[in-house]
Amino acid sequence: MSGSDDVMQVWLDVGLDGSVTLPAACLAAAQLEPGGRVMVRVVDGVVQILSHMTLAMEIQRMIEKGIDPGPVLKDLPGVDGLIVERRLEFLREKPEFGAQHHAAE
């Protein structure tokens, strides 16, 4: 494994069934739980794995920039949409999120 604080890079083998097992360090860095659920999307050939919290943070940034997150939310299955909405509420109520987020921009 190699990388800095912001980037982690690791080569993984793709199983014959298409599966990939993420190492514990990757799970921890991405704040993912074994047995949890993630969204996988491909953007310009890059595979992205997003937790519910990461997706909620992305939607929060969209809202702050005046971008309608409706299309993203509508594409989520019912349970995942509900989880993301709850995480979004958590982020809105968490005062340190606003300070961290604005400092990073």
Side-chain angles (χ1 to χ4, degrees):
M1 239 182 275
S2 67
S4 69
D5 289 340
D6 297 318
V7 176
M8 179 178 287
Q9 300 179 84
V10 59
W11 284 98
L12 301 174
D13 294 320
V14 178
L16 295 176
D17 64 352
S19 64
V20 175
T21 300
L22 298 176
C26 290
L27 292 172
Q31 298 178 339
L32 299 174
E33 294 291 327
R37 190 167 165 89
V38 296
M39 172 187 277
V40 176
R41 66 181 176 197
V42 180
V43 178
D44 297 327
V46 176
V47 176
Q48 300 175 341
I49 301 173
L50 298 103
S51 68
H52 289 106
M53 185 59 81
T54 300
L55 192 54
M57 289 170 48
E58 183 176 293
I59 291 168
Q60 180 68 30
R61 283 190 294 271
M62 291 173 73
I63 292 168
E64 290 172 0
K65 291 180 179 181
I67 300 169
D68 176 20
V72 174
L73 289 170
K74 122 179 138 43
D75 287 341
L76 295 175
V79 171
D80 291 313
L82 183 61
I83 293 169
V84 168
E85 286 180 15
R86 295 289 181 257
R87 300 284 162 89
L88 207 55
E89 289 173 15
F90 169 77
L91 290 174
R92 288 181 181 136
E93 294 170 2
K94 190 175 172 186
E96 66 271 14
F97 173 75
Q100 286 178 345
H101 178 67
H102 294 300
E105 290 186 323

